[in-house]
């Protein structure tokens, strides 16, 4: 019984880890998809138009779109690459596809852990019921004696 409880706790931790990982992958995927979508708004017709430039997540300054051919892409750890709009679009598509594949690998593992946890929980419940039934029978036998 103790081993089943330990197994159940271990599976619960693995489920939490995989769920967290899946959530982080989804957030990253969403970020890349939003960036890819934003690229569709950068074209020659918008040269010189007013835009809001984010300084923080809640503070912006007005600006003008001067270069509609190139963008700076955050590639992580404080590094940026200047890319053409089409190259940036391809970059975000590759990242999104990669994350989709990673999520497709994590989801079956997560489902398997859920199934295993459910099976362990069912076995635990059956054992507890069997113990209670045995105690009830034992109590009935001692009260007759």
């Amino acid at each position: 019984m103790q081993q089943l409880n330990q197994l159940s706790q271990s599976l619960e931790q693995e489920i939490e880890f995989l769920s967290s990982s899946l959530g982080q992958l989804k957030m990253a995927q969403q970020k890349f998809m939003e960036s890819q979508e934003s690229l569709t708004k950068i074209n020659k017709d918008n040269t010189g138009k007013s835009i809001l430039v984010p300084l923080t997540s809640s503070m912006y300054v007005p600006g003008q779109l001067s270069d509609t051919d190139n963008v700076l892409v955050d590639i992580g750890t404080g590094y940026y690459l200047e890319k053409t709009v089409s190259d940036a679009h391809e970059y975000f598509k590759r990242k999104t596809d990669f994350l989709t594949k990673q999520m497709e690998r994590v989801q079956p593992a997560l489902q398997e852990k859920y199934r295993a946890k459910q099976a362990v929980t069912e076995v635990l419940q059956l054992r507890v019921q069997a113990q209670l039934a045995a105690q009830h029978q034992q109590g009935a036998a001692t009260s007759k004696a």
Side-chain angles (χ1 to χ4, degrees):
M1 192 96 125
Q2 183 180 1
Q3 289 175 333
L4 284 174
N5 279 325
Q6 289 173 344
L7 179 59
S8 178
Q9 289 173 349
S10 174
L11 287 168
E12 186 62 38
Q13 289 173 347
E14 291 177 39
I15 287 169
E16 286 177 28
F17 174 77
L18 290 172
S19 295
S20 174
S21 296
L22 192 59
Q24 290 172 355
L25 289 170
K26 284 180 183 181
M27 284 184 0
Q29 182 190 44
Q30 186 63 34
K31 178 182 136 185
F32 289 128
M33 289 170 69
E34 288 171 3
S35 295
Q36 190 175 12
E37 177 64 29
S38 295
L39 290 172
T40 63
K41 297 176 178 88
I42 300 177
N43 56 50
K44 296 280 186 211
D45 296 338
N46 291 329
T47 302
K49 289 197 175 177
S50 295
I51 60 171
L52 291 175
V53 179
L55 293 179
T56 68
S57 62
S58 61
M59 185 170 56
Y60 300 83
V61 294
Q64 278 190 331
L65 189 56
S66 61
D67 183 2
T68 56
D69 296 323
N70 300 297
V71 293
L72 286 176
V73 177
D74 180 355
I75 60 169
T77 62
Y79 289 96
Y80 296 84
L81 283 180
E82 185 172 333
K83 290 185 172 284
T84 65
V85 171
S86 63
D87 286 347
H89 189 275
E90 278 302 309
Y91 171 81
F92 292 126
K93 182 179 181 342
R94 279 193 320 271
K95 288 293 193 178
T96 302
D97 291 346
F98 174 77
L99 290 171
T100 299
K101 287 176 186 170
Q102 294 304 310
M103 288 166 42
E104 288 171 353
R105 288 177 54 202
V106 171
Q107 286 174 331
L110 182 59
Q111 290 170 347
E112 183 60 34
K113 296 296 180 188
Y114 271 122
R115 282 192 290 272
K117 172 89 164 78
Q118 187 175 18
V120 169
T121 301
E122 288 173 9
V123 169
L124 273 170
Q125 288 174 345
L126 288 173
R127 292 224 174 142
V128 167
Q129 288 173 355
Q131 273 186 339
L132 289 174
Q135 287 174 355
H136 181 68
Q137 286 178 349
Q138 193 177 35
T142 56
S143 65
K144 288 182 183 178

